[in-house]
Amino acid sequence: MNIWIITSEYPPDFGGGIGMYVNQSAEMFAKGGHQVTVMVRDPHKSSVTYERPHLRVVRFQHMQGEYYNFLGYWTALSYQYAEEIAALIKSDGKKPDIIEIQDYNGLAYYMLIRKWELDPVFEDIPVVLHLHTPTFELDKVNQVPRYRFPNYWLGHMEKFCMKAADALLSPSQFLANQIQDVAPQNPITVINLPYELETYSDGYERDFESDTFLYFGRTEYRKGVSQMLQGVENLWTDGHDFKLKIIGGDTYFHPKGRNLGEMLKEKYDHRIKEGKLIFRDSIPPADLNPEILNARAVIVPSLYENFPYTCLTSMWLGAPMLVSSAGGQAEMVGADETSGLVFDWKVDGDFEAKLLRLIKADTDQLMTMSKNSHSKIRSLCNVEDNLRAREVYFSQVIETAKINSKDLFPSLLEVEKQNDFKLTQDVKGKLSIIIPYYNLGVHLDETIASALQVDYQNVEIIIVNDGTSDTDSLVVLDKYREGFPQIKIADIRNQGLANARNIGASLADGEYLAFLDADDLIDSSFYSKAIKILDKYSNVSFVYSWLRYFGNSNNVWPTFNTEFPYLMASNMLSAFVVVRRDDFIRYGMNKKEMEYGMEDYEGWLSMCASGCLGVSIPETLVKYRVRSNSMARQFNRDVVIYLRERMASINSQVYDKYGAELFKLIDANGPGYLWDNPTFTYPVIGYGVNNTDDFSDVNAQKYELIRLASSKWGSRLIKLAFKLKLNRLLK
């Protein structure tokens, strides 16, 4: 098979569990005779290397491309991955048989969007989403403000990927059980990680007389370090004599606004001074192995875990284990107590009781656990067995993808459209372009030329003259009354933009409507791409794209697929849409109550509340002219708040349904009328007397730097941060 593995981490520039898994997995497939490509971001340059026969590593320099100017880092990175994958496919001249890509931070989002939107580059490639542990779960356990952008949106990207992938793969049954409900129609398959550690032969043997227990890994709340230390403290207080060594980097703890490790060192400073508690920073794997061999047992106390390499490595080196039940570590150790002990944090005192048993265990008991630990993990994660299991699984995914019909676009919108009959009569496949027109003669010719050059053939153009009073604009309009058979002009008295759109929709005979303001422009391919999606998916009601401003601005507004409750607080698209006429007339007609504007926004919201899904094409296919005298430029804060109040009243049922989640979003990010992009952090009013840094995404930057710190470039980044006097960033 030609297998591509897409990852955000890969040695040597990126460490961590994801990188270790990809390295082991790629080596395994390549040794098995498969053609393997690993694609990974690189901090410095793009390159292609061949690390062994059949294994190609493609590195690309990340943070390159215009989209980094208008998308947050991880969302832009997902977009860049889709671009890089597409470019490599075109360069190779052939497609991979299957792509495996990580779930973490929605890396697969734009590749899967393009696949489902029928991009010929991705359309028929099976995609397996490998579940490491998604952000939406990590943030929940780590007590991160998970409704704050961009984390909230990254979680939605991850959930979309779970629904959109051809198959889901997890190394632990624990994780599969925790998140299967996100995509109940896409069952998660469990295959343990492949693992093989070179035999350690530096003269070290296991010290069964040791009085030191070892924890290694990040000092992270999710890892259960705080709870472990409290349990250990209870035993020390009761007079039990043993040591605990903690090795690993520190992490930021949001509820306290500081690093967790710093807090724990302060709290247990007296134990550190007694020599019972030892903290060490991260060390190289070669230095870690002796620490594992010199420990009486290794503790994995996680509150939520997948299939941790800390447990894998420790068992490979024959460590007796003490692990929590909340993760794949319990699946490795097993409930038979032959390799170690499993405790449950939900059972009061269970950790202390199990730890005490290991404190009191004699040498024979520890030796037996050591032998069983070593043999059990070699059997469970045997590379040859794992290769065969994954070959069978990938083959099944490839075959299933060929026969599965995809007629419903994946969505997190939880409302289903109920209509079972057509309300309108129309011409199948025909597109009616509605152009409301009022005193815009200076721009009409350019807009009409844009509409006439589209590559979709079955088109009519309806110009709704909304009582134009400007003489020059009437002269321009009159040019199109004859000699343009595809153009119709409807003259009405001036009643505003909303009414003009509704009149145009009622006069149209196309199956699809498109709204185009008389001073805006469209790409020639926009309508054909949109209608291709509408023809394919019965649950998609309207399609739109990214928007590029022109005139007095040249920025880009990236739009996203409609989702609740975000759409209820902030508009996710402009009026440039291609919409099913029947759905628009049934659910989306512009309402008189929105007399001052935002009538299109309310219409899309009403449609979504009735189960109509909107889908964004992630390309700048429309151009919105920025004019100082446009209606939107006349808005003030009071009219915006009034119109949003009207919108909530009109759609009260859906606001009632999502009220609690909507409150959390607004509480975390400020008023929705200030948002226009969920991939960035928005300023909110700070808490505390001296809180002055809420206006930047400091914590997200901290977290990413800490993740990078385990790589060889991490220390350089941190030193550079200090040199630039950004000490506060890592405080």
Side-chain angles (χ1 to χ4, degrees):
M1 282 184 279
N2 182 11
I3 301 167
W4 287 18
I5 304 176
I6 313 301
T7 176
S8 65
E9 300 177 10
Y10 191 75
D13 288 318
F14 296 96
I18 294 175
M20 187 177 292
Y21 159 71
V22 174
N23 182 245
Q24 294 264 349
S25 183
E27 292 273 346
M28 174 188 72
F29 280 123
K31 289 179 182 177
H34 300 283
Q35 299 297 323
V36 182
T37 295
V38 173
M39 177 174 282
V40 63
R41 60 180 169 162
D42 189 275
H44 305 288
K45 63 179 181 179
S46 300
S47 65
V48 178
T49 58
Y50 293 85
E51 301 194 348
R52 65 162 38 253
H54 309 301
L55 175 55
R56 174 178 63 168
V57 179
V58 178
R59 295 178 171 87
F60 65 88
Q61 188 174 356
H62 64 152
M63 301 188 73
Q64 305 295 305
E66 180 195 19
Y67 33 86
Y68 281 94
N69 295 330
F70 52 80
L71 292 173
Y73 173 74
W74 281 103
T75 313
L77 185 65
S78 172
Y79 193 91
Q80 188 177 6
Y81 266 94
E83 292 281 276
E84 297 289 345
I85 294 167
L88 186 60
I89 289 172
K90 293 174 183 177
S91 173
D92 282 357
K94 63 179 181 180
K95 297 181 180 182
D97 295 318
I98 195 165
I99 290 177
E100 180 188 295
I101 187 167
Q102 71 186 52
D103 61 334
Y104 181 69
N105 276 351
L107 202 68
Y109 182 75
Y110 278 113
M111 183 182 72
L112 287 169
I113 287 283
R114 288 173 63 167
K115 173 180 165 69
W116 279 87
E117 291 183 353
L118 311 175
D119 185 327
V121 175
F122 296 106
E123 191 174 354
D124 54 356
I125 302 175
V127 176
V128 172
L129 193 71
H130 195 280
L131 306 170
H132 293 277
T133 304
T135 297
F136 65 81
E137 290 289 275
L138 292 174
D139 285 354
K140 180 168 60 177
V141 182
N142 278 327
Q143 303 178 4
V144 174
R146 56 197 176 102
Y147 280 87
R148 189 171 186 187
F149 303 137
N151 287 36
Y152 175 84
W153 193 255
L154 291 176
H156 273 240
M157 288 168 58
E158 292 169 334
K159 291 174 183 178
F160 173 84
C161 291
M162 288 184 63
K163 288 177 174 285
D166 291 282
L168 305 177
L169 181 61
S170 169
S172 75
Q173 189 62 52
F174 174 84
L175 182 64
N177 293 343
Q178 294 295 313
I179 62 176
Q180 181 67 80
D181 64 320
V182 172
Q185 304 305 316
N186 203 357
I188 299 172
T189 298
V190 176
I191 302 178
N192 299 142
L193 299 180
Y195 190 72
E196 192 168 61
L197 184 67
E198 293 182 5
T199 304
Y200 190 72
S201 57
D202 281 354
Y204 286 91
E205 295 182 0
R206 176 157 297 283
D207 182 3
F208 293 104
E209 302 299 325
S210 173
D211 64 349
T212 301
F213 290 84
L214 175 66
Y215 166 83
F216 64 97
R218 293 189 300 275
T219 306
E220 179 183 348
Y221 187 82
R222 173 180 66 95
K223 298 289 188 178
V225 181
S226 300
Q227 291 78 0
M228 173 184 68
L229 276 171
Q230 184 57 61
V232 167
E233 172 64 18
N234 292 340
L235 292 179
W236 280 331
T237 301
D238 289 343
H240 298 286
D241 189 21
F242 63 95
K243 296 175 184 176
L244 175 64
K245 182 179 287 189
I246 296 175
I247 300 175
D250 208 349
T251 61
Y252 187 80
F253 186 50
H254 287 259
K256 295 298 183 180
R258 55 185 304 203
N259 283 355
L260 182 61
E262 293 175 1
M263 294 168 50
L264 295 175
K265 288 174 185 177
E266 289 180 8
K267 182 176 181 179
Y268 297 103
D269 181 62
H270 61 297
R271 299 301 185 186
I272 295 173
K273 290 176 179 176
E274 292 172 356
K276 292 183 176 181
L277 179 59
I278 304 157
F279 276 94
R280 289 190 63 186
D281 292 334
S282 297
I283 59 177
D287 296 336
L288 183 61
N289 292 341
E291 298 283 357
I292 296 172
L293 291 166
N294 285 326
R296 186 175 187 85
V298 173
I299 305 176
V300 183
S302 299
L303 308 179
Y304 189 115
E305 195 65 82
N306 188 352
F307 206 78
Y309 278 99
T310 54
C311 192
L312 270 171
T313 303
S314 300
M315 292 181 71
W316 193 275
L317 293 173
M321 302 299 300
L322 176 61
V323 303
S324 80
S325 59
Q329 64 274 1
E331 297 166 34
M332 294 185 231
V333 173
D336 58 9
E337 300 191 345
T338 58
S339 303
L341 305 180
V342 179
F343 67 90
D344 189 343
W345 282 121
K346 296 177 183 178
V347 178
D348 189 40
D350 194 34
F351 169 73
E352 290 93 324
K354 299 290 174 59
L355 177 56
L356 189 56
R357 284 177 57 184
L358 288 174
I359 292 171
K360 295 181 176 181
D362 60 32
T363 300
D364 288 342
Q365 290 174 311
L366 294 175
M367 287 182 66
T368 300
M369 281 188 179
S370 176
K371 292 177 182 178
N372 289 331
S373 178
H374 180 70
S375 60
K376 182 176 285 188
I377 203 65
R378 283 177 175 251
S379 174
L380 188 66
C381 297
N382 179 272
V383 172
E384 293 180 359
D385 293 344
N386 198 280
L387 174 62
R388 286 191 290 269
R390 288 172 187 261
E391 286 173 336
V392 170
Y393 173 69
F394 278 7
S395 296
Q396 291 172 344
V397 172
I398 292 168
E399 290 305 311
T400 303
K402 291 178 182 177
I403 61 175
N404 275 357
S405 61
K406 295 179 173 64
D407 56 359
L408 294 177
F409 196 92
S411 171
L412 300 181
L413 197 66
E414 297 176 348
V415 187
E416 291 187 9
K417 200 163 50 172
Q418 298 300 317
N419 58 299
D420 54 3
F421 64 94
K422 278 184 70 68
L423 188 68
T424 61
Q425 298 296 318
D426 50 48
V427 178
K428 181 72 173 174
K430 189 171 186 177
L431 172 66
S432 300
I433 303 174
I434 312 300
I435 303 179
Y437 181 72
Y438 178 74
N439 291 345
L440 280 174
V442 67
H443 299 303
L444 183 62
D445 286 343
E446 191 177 6
T447 297
I448 292 294
S450 174
L452 289 173
Q453 53 82 47
V454 298
D455 60 12
Y456 191 76
Q457 298 300 311
N458 193 4
V459 174
E460 68 172 352
I461 299 173
I462 301 175
I463 303 174
V464 182
N465 175 25
D466 188 30
T468 291
S469 57
D470 173 63
T471 301
D472 291 340
S473 294
L474 288 170
V475 170
V476 173
L477 181 62
D478 286 343
K479 292 193 307 184
Y480 297 102
R481 292 189 183 274
E482 295 181 4
F484 294 88
Q486 69 271 58
I487 298 178
K488 302 175 185 177
I489 297 176
D491 297 298
I492 62 174
R493 63 187 178 88
N494 180 254
Q495 295 186 66
L497 182 60
N499 180 69
R501 286 186 180 134
N502 289 344
I503 293 293
S506 66
L507 294 174
D509 58 12
E511 180 182 5
Y512 303 116
L513 301 176
F515 296 106
L516 179 62
D517 287 351
D519 57 345
D520 297 331
L521 307 173
I522 51 172
D523 185 273
S524 61
S525 66
F526 173 45
Y527 293 147
S528 60
K529 289 179 177 179
I531 291 173
K532 186 178 180 182
I533 294 169
L534 289 163
D535 283 344
K536 176 68 174 178
Y537 304 113
S538 59
N539 64 328
V540 177
S541 290
F542 53 107
V543 179
Y544 41 98
S545 77
W546 288 1
L547 180 149
R548 185 178 293 278
Y549 297 102
F550 75 112
N552 293 339
S553 174
N554 61 356
N555 294 329
V556 171
W557 179 24
T559 60
F560 301 91
N561 297 353
T562 54
E563 291 186 10
F564 286 152
Y566 184 94
L567 180 63
M568 298 157 61
S570 180
N571 195 6
M572 303 180 75
L573 65 148
S574 71
F576 290 90
V577 300
V578 180
V579 57
R580 298 184 193 276
R581 178 168 175 261
D582 192 76
D583 286 344
F584 178 79
I585 290 176
R586 189 189 298 264
Y587 303 118
M589 294 280 276
N590 292 174
K591 298 178 178 61
K592 292 182 180 179
E593 294 95 321
M594 306 299 291
E595 58 185 309
Y596 303 118
M598 294 170 58
E599 64 289 324
D600 55 324
Y601 177 14
E602 191 286 324
W604 315 136
L605 178 60
S606 290
M607 290 184 69
C608 290
S610 302
C612 299
L613 174 63
V615 168
S616 169
I617 301 172
E619 302 176 54
T620 51
L621 300 178
V622 298
K623 289 185 176 182
Y624 178 86
R625 190 186 303 270
V626 178
R627 296 183 288 114
S628 58
N629 62 341
S630 68
M631 187 170 71
R633 292 278 176 168
Q634 314 295 321
F635 283 2
N636 59 54
R637 182 174 180 271
D638 286 347
V639 77
V640 169
I641 292 174
Y642 170 75
L643 291 170
R644 290 165 66 82
E645 178 189 322
R646 297 302 308 139
M647 191 161 55
S649 297
I650 294 168
N651 299 279
S652 59
Q653 187 173 358
V654 73
Y655 277 85
D656 288 344
K657 178 179 178 180
Y658 289 96
E661 191 173 354
L662 186 59
F663 164 78
K664 295 172 186 176
L665 271 179
I666 292 173
D667 204 40
N669 302 289
Y673 59 77
L674 297 179
W675 316 342
D676 67 354
N677 186 332
T679 71
F680 290 109
T681 294
Y682 286 85
V684 295
I685 297 172
Y687 291 87
V689 176
N690 297 316
N691 192 329
T692 59
D693 65 354
D694 277 329
F695 294 91
S696 62
D697 195 14
V698 173
N699 295 336
Q701 294 174 52
K702 283 183 182 177
Y703 185 69
E704 182 61 10
L705 282 175
I706 289 169
R707 284 180 59 81
L708 292 175
S710 60
S711 74
K712 76 174 186 179
W713 295 104
S715 60
R716 298 184 188 180
L717 285 173
I718 295 171
K719 288 176 183 177
L720 178 61
F722 278 106
K723 185 179 290 186
L724 294 174
K725 298 185 179 179
L726 295 176
N727 305 58
R728 184 167 61 93
L729 190 65
L730 297 174
K731 207 171 200 175

